[in-house]
Amino acid sequence: MFLPRVSVVIVTWNALELLQRCLPSVTSTDYPDLEIIIADNGSTDGSAEWIASRYPDVTLVRHPENWLFCKGNNAAFVVATGKYVVLLNNDVETPPGWLHPLVRIAEADETIAAVQPKVLQFDRRDLFEYAGASGGFLDRLGYPFARGRIVDCLEPDVGQYDDVRDIDWGSGAALLLRREALQQAGPLDERFEMHMEEIDLCWRLRRMGYRIVVEPRSHVFHVGGGSLPVRSARKLYFNFRNNLLMLYKNLPARHFRRVLAERLCFDAAAACREVLCGRPRSAAAVVRAWCDANRLRRHYCRLRPERKTPETLPTYRGSVLIDRYVRGLQRFSDLPEDLFRGN
């Protein structure tokens, strides 16, 4: 059976230890027509030299400085020659056969633009990982969650989410993209810099009529927190700011005012919670995220879908924060099935 070329793109910056831990598994992938591209964001820890000496068959793209995730990937996409391009974090370990199920399902349906494998924790391989788990969704206010991860609750993987399913977004930790669809939708939004960029891309692809699916017969193991620590105020800033920018770009106009008003209340509550927990820098990050997002609002609102454009809304019509903190739900399977669109 003919298998198309796949280009795996890994952006890295001063992460030699992670590369030494995870890259050998990627180079051991048993896919026959595989191109591996490392985009080095100006590392000073010897990463590029180690890659060049140990893996001469890997294409090494050296950026002059730290272009972060979005720009670093976009610059590497130009070099990629595959029919499919895979976003892969530098802290992801892959089993030998991980690519075959992803390519198989994409080849079977040209309307599928992106396929995510199941993402498990590196150190606790029986637990879903925060970034994507078994497929990502958005609630009615644009907050992301996943099968296997509700807000901060991570479920053990016992095969409960092993079915192929259409999703709202796939994790940029490991995401196969149809190159043709990526060219149509445009690259990762470089104003995002890092975090939420893959959710925005998936939403844009869905607006164009493409499907995003999860294929749990493929799985990978993600260390997590490789670029920014989980409790980093900078990480919190990017998550809140970029989530708002994503809404500005993709939410239909008739939903925009109501959603933004509700989001202001929820995000203000989040900032207050950070203060009460003794994290004033994190609270300030949420406020700064809103200020900076508002500054960019005029630019992004011009990109919002017109009224004549078919609406592509978040799949879940409920509020995942109310489900978690008011109703006490901790598992994806606990969420009311009738609140998912299409059911």
Side-chain angles (χ1 to χ4, degrees), residues 134-204:
S134 190
F137 292 87
L138 296 171
D139 74 359
R140 62 183 173 82
L141 300 181
Y143 291 116
F145 62 103
R147 295 199 304 174
R149 191 267 291 178
I150 300 296
V151 189
D152 55 351
C153 292
L154 298 170
E155 298 181 44
D157 173 29
V158 292
Q160 70 273 41
Y161 306 124
D162 277 355
D163 55 310
V164 175
R165 178 166 177 170
D166 282 70
I167 55 179
D168 286 343
W169 56 273
S171 171
L175 185 65
L176 180 136
L177 295 163
R178 187 181 298 274
R179 185 187 182 89
E180 180 183 6
L182 179 62
Q183 291 171 336
Q184 292 174 19
L188 299 172
D189 188 333
E190 293 182 9
R191 279 194 172 97
F192 279 45
E193 299 183 82
M194 57 194 303
H195 298 300
M196 297 278 176
E197 65 287 314
E198 78 273 42
I199 305 180
D200 166 64
L201 174 60
C202 287
W203 200 339
R204 284 188 279 135

Side-chain angles (χ1 to χ4, degrees), residues 78 81 189 238 247 339:
V78 179
T81 61
D189 188 333
F238 279 123
L247 294 179
L339 291 183

